[in-house]
Amino acid sequence: MPRQSSTAPDRGDHDGQAAQGGAGTGPQRRATVVDVARLAGVSTATVSRVMNRNYPVAEATRERVEEAMRELGYVVNAHARALAGVSGRTVGIIVNELIDPFYAYIARGVEREATDGGRLCLVCCTQGDPRRELAFIELMHERRADAVVLVGGSVEDRAYKAELARRARDLDAGGSKLVLCGRPSLGHDAPTVGVEYDNEGGAFAITDHLIAQGHEQILYLGGPPGLSTNRDRLAGYRRALELRGIDRDPELEQPGAFGRAWGQRRMTELLREGPRFSAVFAANDIVAAGAAEALEDAGLRIPHDMSLVGYDDIPVAQELRPRLTTVRIPLEEMGRQAVRVALGSGDEDEWRAGNTGTLRLGTHIVVRDSVAPYSGGGAGNGVGGSGGAGRRRRG
């Protein structure tokens, strides 16, 4: 279920709350819109317009209403109104796992942009279950959310994609928008908007950076096979090798998971076999942290014995020693832009790709301390393995 504020609306007042009466007078009744309207000498509709600022109100009238609210101690409770379903001023965000920094920073951007617009942000975690994802979208539709932001990559599944497109149409018919954040389009028939980043370009750039340092035997480590995020990163890795005239070695492509434990375990296994690589491109920074642990356990130094890079530029990249060279994604900005493309902010047209309804944000390499020039002497800069025989440069 979505993680919701503990603030709950009073059964008799979905719009605000105020304490009336002095200490020792017993239970305190909350002021209502009717109380404010009576004191200000206006209708309840006028009070609502003043609070929501969604309709022109004469300045003198606005001042009377605001003065009545102050006198009664009335406070607009937007969270309670949204949770009660009497207001559409809500933005939903659906993520795989909230404690993963990739999702957490995007969620923070969504929440801050929603709050800046006077909206409540509801966060839902799917734990990787597509059925929960669809159920949460339906729940946000029932709550009349202004936008539903769906974050992260997806696995190609035609039935699921068709069901997601149907829900996008339902949202659109109700005046809401499904926002695909870091996720492929559902096709022209699905009324969605999106925010993406240059995922493949970032992978190309970081691979090319390693090649420029003399590394040709580069291990690609981690990332679920079939997940759109990983497919793009692997495509960028392959494109860099191809353009540099380096033969692709399928054995140096080791997809798996995006977790630290997996990175540590798989890297340990590969090192036991004898490394045929001098550099590691971890599919994200968390995998890189696991790989770094395995390298340390094996007595290998980064970058003297093995160069290592990651992807995302989350805090662990600077906490590792040596600090990790990686690809930076503007995660929080993606979250902010996801709300803006759905609800409008006035500046989105400068970013939106033509005829796609999707914004594309750039990525760039952050060079730190985990890469050194290849020093020769075989794989791993002279550490074990089969030396340089495993790769060939074409041409």
Side-chain angles (χ1 to χ4, degrees):
M1 291 297 291
R3 304 185 181 189
Q4 301 174 345
S5 168
S6 61
T7 304
D10 183 270
R11 288 292 180 183
D13 173 23
H14 295 306
D15 293 323
Q17 59 185 27
Q20 289 191 333
T25 60
Q28 297 175 334
R29 188 179 73 82
R30 300 182 180 209
T32 68
V33 170
V34 174
D35 296 325
V36 175
R38 185 181 297 114
L39 184 60
V42 298
S43 68
T44 55
T46 298
V47 174
S48 178
R49 289 166 182 168
V50 170
M51 291 189 299
N52 294 323
R53 299 182 180 273
N54 60 357
Y55 195 86
V57 177
E59 186 61 29
T61 303
R62 180 181 299 279
E63 290 177 358
R64 286 207 315 277
V65 171
E66 290 176 346
E67 176 60 30
M69 292 169 64
R70 284 192 294 270
E71 184 173 335
L72 293 172
Y74 181 94
V75 178
V76 177
N77 192 338
H79 283 53
R81 288 161 51 207
L83 290 170
V86 298
S87 169
R89 297 189 64 79
T90 305
V91 172
I93 175 171
I94 302 173
V95 299
N96 186 316
E97 176 54 74
L98 191 58
I99 63 172
D100 184 320
F102 177 89
Y103 296 106
Y105 278 98
I106 293 176
R108 184 164 77 173
V110 170
E111 190 278 331
R112 288 183 172 178
E113 190 66 26
T115 299
D116 288 348
R119 290 176 171 85
L120 170 67
C121 181
L122 297 180
V123 182
C124 308
C125 297
T126 68
Q127 305 299 324
D129 186 346
R131 294 170 300 179
R132 286 169 60 87
E133 191 172 87
L134 294 171
F136 283 137
I137 294 172
E138 190 67 27
L139 179 62
M140 292 299 105
H141 183 211
E142 292 173 1
R143 292 189 177 279
R144 295 185 291 166
D146 294 329
V148 180
V149 182
L150 192 54
V151 181
S154 62
V155 176
E156 186 64 31
D157 183 316
R158 294 180 64 181
Y160 164 75
K161 190 174 179 180
E163 191 63 26
L164 196 57
R166 183 183 71 78
R167 280 169 167 74
R169 289 189 288 271
D170 289 344
L171 286 169
D172 187 68
S176 182
K177 278 294 180 186
L178 181 64
V179 187
L180 304 177
C181 188
R183 170 175 295 225
S185 168
L186 297 176
H188 295 295
D189 295 335
T192 64
V193 292
V195 177
E196 62 183 25
Y197 57 98
D198 191 5
N199 194 13
E200 181 180 340
F204 172 89
I206 199 76
T207 306
D208 196 64
H209 175 69
L210 290 171
I211 296 171
Q213 295 297 312
H215 299 280
E216 297 185 11
Q217 296 174 284
I218 303 169
L219 172 70
Y220 182 88
L221 183 67
L227 186 70
S228 58
T229 304
N230 201 52
R231 288 200 307 267
D232 289 345
R233 292 181 189 181
L234 195 53
Y237 161 85
R238 291 171 177 171
R239 182 162 62 91
L241 295 176
E242 181 179 4
L243 290 180
R244 288 283 195 163
I246 300 172
D247 286 336
R248 173 190 165 208
D249 184 350
E251 293 186 8
L252 292 183
E253 296 177 4
Q254 295 287 329
F258 272 141
R260 181 170 187 152
W262 186 92
Q264 190 274 338
R265 182 175 64 253
R266 188 63 185 127
M267 191 68 184
T268 297
E269 293 168 351
L270 293 170
L271 291 175
R272 286 173 183 164
E273 296 170 6
R276 300 177 55 249
F277 44 89
S278 62
V280 179
F281 173 10
N284 70 5
D285 295 342
I286 299 296
V287 173
E293 183 179 350
L295 288 166
E296 181 181 2
D297 291 344
L300 301 181
R301 299 168 300 164
I302 303 170
H304 307 288
D305 301 320
M306 188 76 67
S307 290
L308 175 66
V309 301
Y311 207 115
D312 292 346
D313 196 27
I314 59 176
V316 71
Q318 295 196 58
E319 294 164 1
L320 289 175
R321 291 296 179 269
R323 298 180 308 154
L324 186 67
T325 293
T326 187
V327 177
R328 178 170 178 76
I329 305 173
L331 296 171
E332 188 168 332
E333 181 62 17
M334 283 179 64
R336 284 190 174 274
Q337 290 290 349
V339 178
R340 291 172 186 169
V341 297
L343 305 179
S345 67
D347 64 352
E348 65 272 16
D349 289 338
E350 298 178 7
W351 296 76
R352 183 174 292 129
N355 300 321
T356 67
T358 299
L359 304 183
R360 168 168 281 203
L361 304 182
T363 55
H364 65 270
I365 298 174
V366 180
V367 177
R368 296 194 178 101
D369 310 316
S370 63
V371 175
Y374 178 63
S375 62
N381 292 355
V383 179
S386 59
R391 298 293 289 278
R392 298 187 305 275
R393 182 181 287 272
R394 298 197 302 273

